[in-house]
Amino acid sequence: MKLLMVEAEREVIGMDYKLVAIDLDDTLLADDLEISKRTVEAIEEAQKQGVRVVIATGRMHSSALPYAKLLGLENELITYNGALVKQLVDNQTLYHEPVSAELARQIAKVAQEYDLHINFYLDDLLYVNKAGAEADYYEEVAGIKPILITEDLVDFVDQPSTKILIIENDKAKLKEAFAELTAKFSDSLTITTSKANFIEIMSQEVYKGNTLANLATELGIEAEEVMAIGDSYNDLEMIEYAGLGVAVGNAKEEIKEEADYITGANDEEGVAQVIEKFIL
């Protein structure tokens, strides 16, 4: 665990952070999927001081957009775990690296083999292979109405998908499917997890951390001037990259071990706490 010692903490408190990347679910959002007034005010104040604040989430662009607007963000929005970056002011696509149609079809075959619920994301629309508890849960969390695929799943996948998401509540089945997907595709795809019942699949080398690093480079910002805040495995690379990698109190233990600093939990306004401490 690389938690800050007292002298190191004094040093990073004095650092001039220019870019803050914040995960949404279980980090910025409380368990009720809301952002507290204190957190909104802390982010607004950081922006007034010239800090560039970006959301970096596994969610769809359309799902993350209302939160970006609530926070008054006007720059980039990093979605799909870094596979899509759009400019908020004019909706211009700055970066898009989807899963190829061929690989997406191979993932679809594994989903059929294990009888898994699978999400495909085409042009920021959500397509699902079956209705039921998983689709209902995702719609409740993301606020996006799914479109049911009525044809053969493999035949349907005839174009690249920005991301692929598998949702499975049976932990044993999920673990087995994750192992097979990793064994077959780890050399050609990025496969990670966010929530306990999610397998997130992106194009090779698509991570929040890589996308954040590229954005910082384009802006002329050094890694030491970046703060990244998250809770789960899909946040790991950006927490490792940032000069100040922050895990919320409810983060996975492996994420806490790699973080420079642990703030309060998502239900304790942990994002507000760390922004107030190190920026305001």
Side-chain angles (χ1 to χ4, degrees):
M1 184 179 293
K2 53 171 187 171
L3 293 180
L4 300 174
M5 303 303 290
V6 174
E7 289 302 321
E9 183 170 316
R10 289 193 186 121
E11 182 177 338
V12 295
I13 288 176
M15 174 64 71
D16 182 18
Y17 294 104
K18 297 178 179 177
L19 177 61
V20 178
I22 312 171
D23 170 53
L24 265 182
D25 291 284
D26 303 313
T27 299
L28 182 62
L29 302 183
D31 288 344
D32 61 4
L33 303 180
E34 299 290 337
I35 305 175
S36 74
K37 180 181 178 182
R38 174 187 175 188
T39 304
V40 172
E41 290 175 347
I43 290 172
E44 287 177 343
E45 187 58 36
Q47 291 184 98
K48 288 178 184 176
Q49 294 189 17
V51 178
R52 201 180 193 98
V53 179
V54 300
I55 287 173
T57 179
R59 286 189 182 220
M60 305 168 64
H61 178 87
S62 53
S63 176
L65 187 58
Y67 295 108
K69 289 181 176 179
L70 173 66
L71 296 170
L73 305 186
E74 296 181 345
N75 297 301
E76 304 82 10
L77 180 56
I78 299 172
T79 55
Y80 294 101
N81 288 321
L84 178 66
V85 183
K86 283 191 172 187
Q87 189 72 259
L88 284 166
V89 67
D90 58 8
N91 204 39
Q92 178 187 356
T93 297
L94 303 177
Y95 174 80
H96 186 211
E97 186 63 39
V99 177
S100 70
E102 176 55 35
L103 285 170
R105 281 192 291 270
Q106 293 181 42
I107 297 295
K109 290 176 183 177
V110 175
Q112 287 180 324
E113 176 187 345
Y114 284 91
D115 189 29
L116 300 168
H117 173 98
I118 190 165
N119 289 2
F120 289 98
Y121 302 88
L122 312 176
D123 297 323
D124 208 35
L125 296 174
L126 168 62
Y127 294 84
V128 300
N129 65 330
K130 57 172 98 173
E134 293 85 357
D136 293 343
Y137 169 73
Y138 191 85
E139 181 178 356
E140 180 182 355
V141 171
I144 300 296
K145 187 76 174 176
I147 301 167
L148 183 64
I149 300 168
T150 56
E151 60 190 280
D152 177 79
L153 182 61
V154 177
D155 291 341
F156 169 80
V157 185
D158 61 357
Q159 60 180 298
S161 180
T162 303
K163 185 184 82 167
I164 299 170
L165 178 68
I166 289 170
I167 307 176
E168 177 53 60
N169 295 321
D170 184 324
K171 291 183 179 180
K173 185 193 285 190
L174 187 75
K175 184 177 181 180
E176 187 177 352
F178 184 83
E180 178 164 342
L181 289 165
T182 302
K184 285 185 174 180
F185 302 108
S186 61
D187 290 338
S188 52
L189 293 168
T190 294
I191 303 171
T192 186
T193 59
S194 51
K195 291 184 177 292
N197 55 344
F198 285 8
I199 299 176
E200 311 251 2
I201 303 168
M202 289 75 62
S203 183
Q204 190 175 27
E205 299 304 318
V206 169
Y207 303 95
K208 291 183 186 182
N210 284 356
T211 302
L212 179 61
N214 291 337
L215 174 61
T217 299
E218 290 173 6
L219 296 171
I221 296 173
E222 301 292 333
E224 291 75 18
E225 299 170 314
V226 177
M227 178 192 299
I229 313 169
D231 74 289
S232 198
Y233 301 108
N234 62 330
D235 300 312
L236 177 60
E237 288 80 14
M238 74 172 184
I239 286 174
E240 290 177 331
Y241 160 76
L244 182 62
V246 179
V248 287
N250 54 292
K252 304 286 191 297
E253 287 304 315
E254 295 91 334
I255 307 306
K256 289 181 178 179
E257 289 174 2
E258 295 303 320
D260 299 300
Y261 183 79
I262 298 174
T263 187
N266 65 320
D267 266 353
E268 299 169 341
E269 301 173 311
V271 170
Q273 289 179 35
V274 74
I275 289 175
E276 291 165 357
K277 182 179 183 70
F278 291 100
I279 293 177
L280 306 183

